[in-house]
Each structure stands twice: as C-alpha cells, then as structure tokens.
Amino acid sequence: MHTIAVLALDQVIPFDLSTPIEVFTRTRLPDGRPGYQLRVCAERPEIDAGAFTLRAPWGLEGLKGADTIIVPGTSAPATPLAPAVRDALRAAAEDGTRIASICSGTFPLAATGLLDGLRATTHWIAADLLAAAHPDIEVDPDVLYVDNGQLLTSAGAAAGLDLCLHMIRRDYGSAVAADAARLSVMPLEREGGQAQFIVQNYVPTPQGSTFEPLLLWLQENLGSDLTLADIAAHAGTSTRTLIRRFREQTGTTPLQWLHRARIRQAQHLLETTRHSVERIGAQVGFGSPTAFRDRFKKTTGVSPYTYRRTFS
C-alpha cells in the first residue's frame, strides 16, 4: 500500500492539512481496498495551527519509508526552515521519495534547495515573494499545479485538491482518480488554471508621478480605439520617449498596461452585468469579439463565458 506522510509545520493552514488527509483516506481501489495509508508528521509533538493546537502522532521519523511526502501551506511562509526538517526532506528526496507541496508549502520545500532549476507554483498572491526569495526557481503563478516527476507543487487552497487527484491518477489510473473526484464533488480536471483567479489590476504608479494624469486618461478611455501614437500625442511626447519613460515609471509598456486594464474592466463587467460577451468586448476597446476572447483567454486561462459562470 502507498504510504503518504503529511508534514505539519508551525502555523500550518488547516485547510491545506486536511485536503490530502480527506482525499487519500477516502480513495478506494476497484476491489474495495484502501489505496493509501496516512501519517501526520511534525518536528515537535504539538504544532500551532492557528485556531487550534495539533498533536501529530508521528515525528520526523515518519517521513522515512513514505512513498510520498506532502508539505501543506503555512500562514508564515517566510519563516526559516528548521535544519532538522530541511535535512529530513533532502534525505527523503535522495531516497527517491515523491514530495509535493500545497499552497505556501512551496516555500519550505524551496528552502531545501530541491526546487532550484525547476518550475514551480504557489498561491498567486505569494508568487512574487517566492520568486524574489528563490531566484533559481522558475515561478509560474498561472497554473493549478506543476508536476516535475519527483517534485510537485500546487497553487492555493482548492488547487491542493487538484494536485491530490492528479497524484491518484498517476498512482492508480483515471478510474480510481475519477471515483475520488466524485467523492470530493470535484471535476477530475478543472478548466483553466490559477490565472482566472488573479485580479488583473493595472500596474500602480506612485502618486505625483508625471504619468499619473496619463494613466487616469487611459483608464477613462478604455473603450476607445487607442494606438501608441494616440497615447504619445496625448502625453505630448514621441512614441520612443513615451515607451522609455512609461517603462521606467510603471515597469511595463503603454499597450501592455492598456491591455491589462481592459481585461480587468472586462472581468468586472462579466461579474456584475448581464451584458453579452460581444458587448463587453466592445465596451473595453476590443475591435472584434474574437480579439477580445483571445486576449481574455491568454490573460486569464479561460474564456469569458467560463469566467462568467465561475464568478458571476
């Protein structure tokens, strides 16, 4: 039987901790046998889980011999990793153990150095922090999970469930995974990725910036057919100077800023109105419904129709 060790660190997020416990303990093989046995492990007997204190039945020795180790997220991802935990995870990796993280659990896994040179994900709100703290990791904030074979990472909250179902499918096939998905009232594969949950805010500019009036004008004219030349003319500068100064002050280009602002406005309209997708595309400045759908899906990972079903 496949043994899974769930490693509870201080400030563990209860939802992230319970997800693998619930999913894997309910997984049954076609003959009715359980597919997994679970161990909840911790460095110390008692772990602070925020609203309550957790008593783990296993210490770090419970990681030894496990087929899979799962590291749930914590509410304090920047906390330094205890040397004993780091060494235990590295030793498990050297033994070939599969290691997966849920949400901000990517941070302690990254602190071991095991993710260096690999692609990984975490909750989108913490993706920039992960990238800054671990520049050797290719952080992808748009996906629900990343499977590197032995090492897997997932995005926030419910994405841990997506990852667990994915691992069940790897271990026992689609039929067993589909049954586990039905018990969890989840699709085996969700459409789109984490990008659909990211608020597509335009890039902020410090108050008093020379471009603040220009950005306000752009925000007020999202529905207009604006070219780079139009924006430069309104700013009273050449297009070359506009691009250079715009990037210096916002970190992006005028057209990229405009596209992001248009998609955010489209998200708001999809969430709050019954306007047709075609009308919304025109309202936010896209010349054709096709161009709007393509840009929206490229940015969020799902179509406008799917986004509306999810969030309206």
Side-chain angles (χ1 to χ4, degrees), residues 244-298:
R244 176 177 56 79
R245 291 175 58 200
F246 202 96
R247 187 178 289 279
E248 287 173 355
Q249 295 192 34
T250 70
T252 187
T253 68
L255 292 182
Q256 287 172 337
W257 190 99
L258 185 61
H259 284 315
R260 189 180 300 184
R262 283 172 167 165
I263 294 302
R264 178 65 198 107
Q265 181 63 14
Q267 288 177 303
H268 174 71
L269 293 172
L270 288 166
E271 294 166 12
T272 60
T273 75
R274 301 301 300 168
H275 297 170
S276 69
V277 168
E278 291 74 15
R279 178 179 173 182
I280 289 174
Q283 283 178 278
V284 298
F286 287 91
S288 72
T290 300
F292 171 55
R293 293 188 188 97
D294 289 347
R295 173 63 64 171
F296 193 94
K297 187 163 187 176
K298 181 178 181 181

Side-chain angles (χ1 to χ4, degrees), residues 122-254:
T122 188
H123 194 294
W124 63 267
I125 205 167
D128 288 344
L129 179 61
L130 179 66
H134 300 281
D136 291 332
I137 299 174
E138 179 190 347
V139 179
D140 186 346
D142 294 339
V143 296
L144 295 174
Y145 58 83
V146 175
D147 183 348
N148 288 299
Q150 184 184 6
L151 300 169
L152 304 91
T153 56
S154 70
L161 182 52
D162 293 285
L163 178 61
C164 291
L165 293 173
H166 171 71
M167 288 192 287
I168 293 171
R169 183 167 51 187
R170 269 185 47 175
D171 296 338
Y172 294 114
S174 295
V176 173
D179 183 60
R182 283 191 291 271
L183 287 172
S184 301
V185 197
M186 274 281 292
L188 184 53
E189 292 238 14
R190 278 198 286 168
E191 184 176 355
Q194 190 176 196
Q196 64 189 295
F197 302 99
I198 300 174
V199 177
Q200 299 296 326
N201 286 328
Y202 47 84
V203 178
T205 299
Q207 285 192 337
S209 162
T210 57
F211 273 171
E212 186 179 359
L214 176 64
L215 298 184
L216 290 174
W217 177 79
L218 286 173
Q219 189 66 28
E220 293 169 356
N221 291 274
L222 295 178
S224 303
D225 183 16
L226 297 176
T227 66
L228 189 60
D230 295 330
I231 300 172
H234 186 83
T237 186
S238 68
T239 56
R240 177 175 295 183
T241 300
L242 172 72
I243 292 172
R244 176 177 56 79
R245 291 175 58 200
F246 202 96
R247 187 178 289 279
E248 287 173 355
Q249 295 192 34
T250 70
T252 187
T253 68

